[in-house]
Amino acid sequence: MGFLDIRNVTKSYGAVEVLHQVDISVQEGEFLVLVGPSGCGKSTLLNMIAGLEGITSGEIAINGRVVNAVHPSKRNIAMVFQSYALYPNMSVAQNMTFGLEMHGVPKPERDKALKDVAALLQIEPLLDRKPGQLSGGQRQRVAMGRALVRDPDVFLFDEPLSNLDAKLRVDMRTEIKKLHEKLKTTVVYVTHDQIEALTLSTRIAVMNGGYVQQLGTPQEVYDDPANVFVASFMGSPSMNLIPARLRLNGQAAVEIADGAGQPVALPLTGTPGGAQDGDALLFGLRPEALTDTEGADRHARNIVTFRNPVDVVEPAGSDTFVTTTLGGKDAISRMRADTRLTPGQTCDFAVNMDKAVLFDPRTEQRLRLT
Amino acid sequence: MSHATQDTAVRTGRIARTFIYLVLLLFALFYLLPFFVMLANSLKPLSEITGGNMMALPQDWTIAPWLSAWSTAQIGVEPTGLRPYFLNSILMVVPAVAISTVIGALNGYILTKWRFRGDTVIFGLMLFSCFIPFQIVLIPMARMLGLMGLAGSTPGLVLVHVVYGIGFGTLYFRNYYAAFPTELVRAAQIDGAGFFQIFWRIMLPVSGPIAVVNIIWQFTNIWNDFLFGASFADLDSMPMTVALNNLVNSSTGVKEYNVHFAGAILAALPTLLVYIVAGRYFVRGLMAGSVKG
Ligand SMILES: Nc1ncnc2c1ncn2[C@@H]1O[C@H](COP(=O)(O)OP(=O)(O)OP(=O)(O)O)[C@@H](O)[C@H]1O
Ligand SMILES: [Mg+2]
């Protein structure tokens, strides 16, 4: 029993089921991020929590009360929309207190709530303006302010930062995080940006095609992905997925082809259960687990090195991304910014096998080591 | 060389522009001519019209024809002038426009923001009502008004015009509201606003341009309507258009053309006024309704 319970919820439009058996329990004060590609059903799920979309089957409970049949305004939630949805004919102050007015809160209390939130978000000078006279970032603040004055049980955010420019997005991201740490209100936050998901959340639900692919803390989702989709969706640049074979004679190892097509054996820290010698695998390796030897994680227990040619070198400010060929495919390695590699050169690569993950190439599910 | 060609280019531009203005001026004169004839002749004594030139300005300026048309001219059998009928028209057009605009706006709001099964079919049927010729409904409508006890009364006329006005009103408002972000309605729902609160507090305040379009359209149509007025009104509820017809047709003895002209201008005055007051918004509203959706 959590604070917000989504129990076996499905959603169908006519004969098409767009959400399948979603089951998520959110504790009070948690920051849950729903992340996934466009059309995966994030907004639909959020709108169902808000009561803006009907629930086809299953139930949603907020604070111990099943809300399937409860009107949006009676669920004690507040929502921030992607377009901000500020009422164009009302001033900022009216926008922010409209919900309180509709809920019959007396004027003095409304004014007090407005004052507190305006101070918190530093938007006091804007209170008399109309939304049309605000910049994008200011509108975003007002939209958050409108949600905050309600002092709800749950905040719902639907891609609140996607209309802002890159710099402002990062600033507001930090601000939302600070706000959550201060207020400790339960949040459900929709985004398709995996960085936002990783930085803001206490837990992430990675969605695809109407299914929750994995539900876990940012670290679980990043280091311990349940399947190929989660592995490649989370993280930028995304995880290298290298075609490999399992070798079980002697110590268990994966065998990949290096740039020259020669087999390289990388010893595993365990054996994948049920797998046979010679089975095809997808060997998943984050770019930061494939480095030059000096850059390798000093706390890692299993580092394997081998030589391979460098194909492309891309400096990206704080890091340099080096592309090399492994298993016949491009693999990206994250190196220090001051690496002096040039394309065509051969270099020692260090693989951190602690961080390596294996997938079954047919089911795309994770193969866990035992 | 290049200077010379540029010079000619400017000169041809100037000639072309003069030509355009000349043509426009000609058209303006052409359109204003009837109005000039009406205005000039309404300010002459009758003898100047019968004995002289329709196009000439009055020699003996007088407002007597206007006074007569307004308050003493023979309408049918009564020497009342157009005044009571002008009032009838106002009493008919104001409620009819107001009611059909409010209903049109409500329909538009429901058809875009409270979608339900079969809403497009209902909208289609409403659109269809815009294309039903007036003549077809005359007899059934007369029967209905009789059954409702509204025959020959101003409320009866209001009802007829409201029924006809709903189709266009719905069309205008639906297309305007289709572009209105649904997220705003959802935000208002979460804020706890009900069906009518959303309508009054969120939708109507931004509906100015389309309301003006609808009001101008309905006002002109209803004010200028002759057929329904002639068919469904009796002497006490007769609108201006029918009275004007009676004024022109029923004068015994000499035809007082100057009075007729004055009466016709009086009958056209309110629509003219509506255009002048609201016309600026009309074009803007049409643009907002079509371009931005
Ligand atoms: N009214 C509807 N009728 C039919 N299908 C719908 C309807 N609304 C949404 N869908 C479908 O439901 C699926 C999920 O839509 P949803 O809006 O939740 O996606 P999303 O994850 O929020 O995507 P985005 O990141 O683009 O906002 C989509 O495949 C969409 O086509
Ligand atoms: Mg969405």
Side-chain angles (χ1 to χ4, degrees):
Chain A
M1 272 286 287
F3 188 71
L4 164 66
D5 278 323
I6 301 164
R7 299 188 197 118
N8 282 323
V9 162
T10 61
K11 174 74 186 178
S12 306
Y13 289 108
V16 190
E17 194 170 281
V18 297
L19 276 181
H20 320 274
Q21 299 279 329
V22 175
D23 217 352
I24 302 174
S25 175
V26 185
Q27 299 304 317
E28 183 158 18
E30 255 196 289
F31 198 120
L32 175 76
V33 172
L34 305 176
V35 68
S38 189
C40 69
K42 313 177 292 284
S43 299
T44 306
L45 184 57
L46 196 74
N47 288 338
M48 285 160 86
I49 299 171
L52 298 169
E53 295 272 7
I55 298 166
T56 309
S57 74
E59 59 183 26
I60 293 180
I62 299 174
N63 203 354
R65 176 175 63 138
V66 175
V67 293
N68 284 30
V70 178
H71 188 267
S73 65
K74 307 249 156 60
R75 295 188 178 197
N76 205 13
I77 47 132
M79 187 151 169
V80 177
F81 294 86
Q82 181 173 4
S83 67
Y84 313 139
L86 299 176
Y87 311 125
N89 56 308
M90 297 185 199
S91 70
V92 166
Q94 287 168 326
N95 258 288
M96 287 171 61
T97 52
F98 184 71
L100 295 178
E101 187 191 334
M102 290 295 120
H103 279 85
V105 176
K107 181 105 172 68
E109 275 175 53
R110 294 202 307 251
D111 289 343
K112 167 137 189 356
L114 174 68
K115 230 179 104 210
D116 292 349
V117 172
L120 181 69
L121 292 174
Q122 298 164 347
I123 50 173
E124 290 114 322
L126 309 178
L127 289 181
D128 293 326
R129 297 217 204 145
K130 290 276 169 67
Q133 300 164 316
L134 301 175
S135 72
Q138 290 169 333
R139 276 179 219 180
Q140 218 283 327
R141 269 166 201 276
V142 173
M144 297 229 304
R146 185 170 68 181
L148 286 172
V149 287
R150 295 273 311 279
D151 189 22
D153 282 343
V154 182
F155 279 119
L156 305 175
F157 290 86
D158 193 352
E159 310 211 15
L161 305 183
S162 60
N163 284 344
L164 302 178
D165 63 57
K167 169 91 173 65
L168 201 52
R169 199 178 312 164
V170 175
D171 293 348
M172 288 306 293
R173 198 171 74 200
T174 316
E175 203 154 325
I176 291 178
K177 180 142 190 154
K178 273 194 211 146
L179 218 54
H180 177 251
E181 268 155 19
K182 194 158 168 185
L183 302 173
K184 299 254 179 280
T185 312
T186 313
V187 174
V188 181
Y189 184 106
V190 164
T191 179
H192 59 253
D193 179 348
Q194 45 93 21
I195 308 255
E196 250 171 56
L198 290 169
T199 49
L200 284 172
S201 65
T202 58
R203 268 199 306 160
I204 301 179
V206 184
M207 298 178 66
N208 191 32
Y211 290 95
V212 174
Q213 304 283 342
Q214 187 171 3
L215 176 66
T217 63
Q219 208 204 337
E220 280 166 5
V221 167
Y222 189 78
D223 285 339
D224 203 9
N227 54 39
V228 170
F229 175 80
V230 176
S232 52
F233 189 80
M234 303 302 288
S236 166
S238 61
M239 184 185 269
N240 299 306
L241 293 164
I242 304 158
R245 289 211 171 270
L246 185 64
R247 291 290 169 225
L248 289 177
N249 29 6
Q251 195 191 356
V254 286
E255 184 182 287
I256 57 176
D258 70 6
Q262 295 305 312
V264 178
L266 306 170
L268 290 168
T269 53
T271 38
Q276 311 264 312
D277 184 62
D279 276 358
L281 297 172
L282 274 180
F283 175 58
L285 201 58
R286 295 252 175 231
E288 61 269 24
L290 176 65
T291 57
D292 47 3
T293 44
E294 300 87 20
D297 187 350
R298 251 168 289 142
H299 304 292
R301 281 168 295 138
N302 300 288
I303 302 271
V304 185
T305 57
F306 63 93
R307 287 185 78 76
N308 215 37
V310 170
D311 296 339
V312 183
V313 178
E314 294 172 286
S318 55
D319 300 297
T320 298
F321 294 107
V322 173
T323 309
T324 183
T325 308
L326 287 176
K329 287 174 120 187
D330 283 350
I332 295 178
S333 149
R334 174 179 253 146
M335 300 199 182
R336 290 159 304 135
D338 56 359
T339 183
R340 299 240 178 268
L341 292 173
T342 50
Q345 201 179 342
T346 307
C347 152
D348 276 322
F349 286 91
V351 177
N352 180 357
M353 290 302 285
D354 294 354
K355 298 274 183 183
V357 288
L358 301 178
F359 300 98
D360 182 331
R362 277 178 305 108
T363 60
E364 304 210 325
Q365 294 301 310
R366 178 75 179 277
L367 291 170
R368 297 198 178 270
L369 301 177
T370 48
Chain B
M1 272 309 285
S2 72
H3 181 80
T5 36
Q6 213 170 10
D7 209 19
T8 25
V10 172
R11 211 177 301 146
T12 31
R14 208 170 279 161
I15 288 169
R17 195 162 309 161
T18 317
F19 179 73
I20 290 169
Y21 279 124
L22 218 72
V23 171
L24 287 177
L25 203 73
L26 230 84
F27 272 111
L29 280 178
F30 183 70
Y31 284 119
L32 281 172
L33 201 64
F35 187 67
F36 166 78
V37 170
M38 285 175 70
L39 199 64
N41 288 298
S42 73
L43 293 166
K44 290 176 191 172
L46 189 58
S47 56
E48 268 186 51
I49 300 177
T50 48
N53 181 357
M54 286 269 274
M55 301 299 290
L57 278 171
Q59 283 154 6
D60 198 4
W61 294 82
T62 168
I63 58 160
W66 283 78
L67 295 177
S68 162
W70 181 243
S71 53
T72 59
Q74 193 89 10
I75 309 286
V77 287
E78 308 270 354
T80 55
L82 289 169
R83 186 172 46 189
Y85 307 104
F86 189 87
L87 198 72
N88 281 346
S89 268
I90 295 277
L91 287 178
M92 167 187 77
V93 81
V94 170
V97 168
I99 295 171
S100 70
T101 302
V102 169
I103 295 181
L106 261 176
N107 283 348
Y109 168 54
I110 293 168
L111 287 171
T112 52
K113 303 303 169 208
W114 297 84
R115 308 281 308 264
F116 51 92
R117 195 179 281 275
D119 54 358
T120 41
V121 176
I122 291 196
F123 178 57
L125 290 175
M126 284 189 163
L127 268 193
F128 194 60
S129 80
C130 301
F131 305 112
I132 299 175
F134 284 10
Q135 292 83 343
I136 290 182
V137 302
L138 280 184
I139 292 170
M141 189 60 91
R143 175 98 181 103
M144 259 182 61
L145 290 177
L147 285 177
M148 287 191 286
L150 293 173
S153 70
T154 300
L157 279 178
V158 169
L159 178 76
V160 175
H161 286 300
V162 166
V163 168
Y164 251 99
I166 286 175
F168 270 106
T170 304
L171 170 67
Y172 286 142
F173 279 98
R174 196 206 83 112
N175 288 353
Y176 189 77
Y177 287 154
F180 188 89
T182 303
E183 282 197 346
L184 279 176
V185 177
R186 297 186 144 192
Q189 273 179 291
I190 291 179
D191 271 344
F195 178 85
F196 282 106
Q197 275 166 327
I198 295 175
F199 183 58
W200 283 114
R201 302 279 303 266
I202 316 282
M203 307 287 285
L204 267 195
V206 295
S207 309
I210 203 65
V212 168
V213 169
N214 189 55
I215 286 171
I216 291 186
W217 172 263
Q218 306 283 2
F219 189 97
T220 352
N221 268 349
I222 298 173
W223 184 274
N224 288 335
D225 163 71
F226 180 79
L227 187 63
F228 286 152
S231 313
F232 300 136
D234 60 19
L235 215 57
D236 305 326
S237 57
M238 194 191 290
M240 189 73 167
T241 42
V242 181
L244 180 67
N245 180 60
N246 290 354
L247 167 76
V248 175
N249 282 336
S250 72
S251 323
T252 45
V254 271
K255 293 241 178 236
E256 294 181 295
Y257 291 116
N258 52 355
V259 176
H260 299 173
F261 280 130
I265 296 176
L266 278 173
L269 226 45
T271 46
L272 219 65
L273 203 74
V274 166
Y275 268 109
I276 291 168
V277 171
R280 282 185 302 141
Y281 301 98
F282 185 67
V283 179
R284 221 185 287 164
L286 279 182
M287 295 297 288
S290 60
V291 179
K292 287 193 195 148

